[in-house]
Amino acid sequence: MSTLHVMDHPLIIHKLSLIRDTKTGSKEFRELVKEIAMLMCYEATRELPMKEVEIETPICTTKTKVIAGKRLALIPILRAGLGMVDGMLSLIPSARVGHIGLYRDPETFKPVEYYCKLPKDIEKREVIVLDPMLATGGSASAAISFLKERGAVNIKLMCLIGAPEGIEVLQKEHPDVDIYIGAVDEKLNDHKYIVPGLGDAGDRIFGTK
Ligand code: PRP
Ligand code: URA
């Protein structure tokens, strides 16, 4: 069974409260999504392997540690996942970025794929899938299946807000994928929106509707 990491840092909880607020406009919403992704990046990279190196400080030679060349790939699910990419890249500038385009059919709520472009050595990389919302889990689960079909083996999922239903689906269909989530909300409504949630993440980031 995968591990569910629920964020408990006051900065993350505070910023999530701000993006939930319907009065928060697109500019501030985008800035906050970027900041939350950056804070969550810190948690999701906690277990990256380190190696010892020798360096010279202005005072002496010393042994210290650096990240052991682990190659990362960030995979935002279009559109809303795009809002999380810059925050992640500001801490891991060498990460490659692939894109998976999916939308949720408004009638069936099933994910429909329309775009996929991945780094060519995806099988060698530690992959972090980015999407602010984990509602039914259909989109994230389908994106992870596409990644596995294309060779990815080491995958994490990072979301800002999730519903218990989506988490259950993810853990059942991809028990090897650890989930990093800002908050676990109460439930889904009849339109499969997260309650209380934040509404439509893509529309709020891009100002569409
Ligand atoms: C939203 C969200 C997720 C998906 C979550 O995207 O960004 O990708 O819904 O729902 P699910 O867990 O029930 O699949 P949407 O389909 O609205 O597309 P968009 O990002 O292009 O607006
Ligand atoms: N997609 C969103 O953007 N928000 C939800 O609450 C559910 C799916």
Side-chain angles (χ1 to χ4, degrees), residues 77 102 104 109 111 133-144 157 159 162-171 173-174 188 192 194:
I77 302 179
L102 287 177
R104 206 170 69 156
F109 308 119
M133 309 307 277
L134 181 64
T136 63
S139 304
S141 182
I144 291 167
L157 172 66
C159 301
E165 294 89 328
I167 292 166
E168 196 181 324
V169 164
L170 241 292
Q171 290 192 318
E173 294 181 2
H174 299 287
L188 297 176
K192 307 291 183 203
I194 299 173

Side-chain angles (χ1 to χ4, degrees), residues 116-133:
C116 183
K117 181 83 180 172
L118 303 176
K120 62 177 184 306
D121 55 354
I122 194 74
E123 70 286 350
K124 297 196 192 109
R125 292 186 177 266
E126 177 154 334
V127 174
I128 307 181
V129 176
L130 306 173
D131 194 328
M133 309 307 277

Side-chain angles (χ1 to χ4, degrees), residues 15-114:
K15 287 173 193 292
L16 284 173
S17 300
L18 297 177
I19 59 170
R20 289 177 185 281
D21 192 330
T22 190
K23 293 194 290 301
T24 300
S26 285
K27 177 175 180 290
E28 196 187 347
F29 192 93
R30 276 195 296 274
E31 288 165 1
L32 288 161
V33 168
K34 178 180 168 183
E35 288 167 8
I36 298 167
M38 199 189 306
L39 292 165
M40 289 183 66
C41 178
Y42 177 81
E43 291 295 336
T45 52
R46 188 178 278 285
E47 281 155 28
L48 284 182
M50 310 287 295
K51 66 176 180 192
E52 198 171 76
V53 292
E54 196 172 86
I55 59 151
E56 297 249 346
T57 77
I59 310 298
C60 66
T61 301
T62 186
K63 286 195 166 66
T64 183
K65 287 182 180 173
V66 295
I67 291 168
K70 191 87 185 173
R71 298 200 278 182
L72 287 157
L74 307 175
I75 313 292
I77 302 179
L78 306 179
R79 293 175 297 167
L82 287 174
M84 299 169 72
V85 174
D86 282 354
M88 300 290 290
L89 283 178
S90 57
L91 292 188
I92 336 172
S94 62
R96 299 294 155 90
V97 183
H99 297 85
I100 294 181
L102 287 177
Y103 69 88
R104 206 170 69 156
D105 184 290
E107 305 284 311
T108 64
F109 308 119
K110 298 277 179 235
V112 182
E113 186 194 2
Y114 61 88

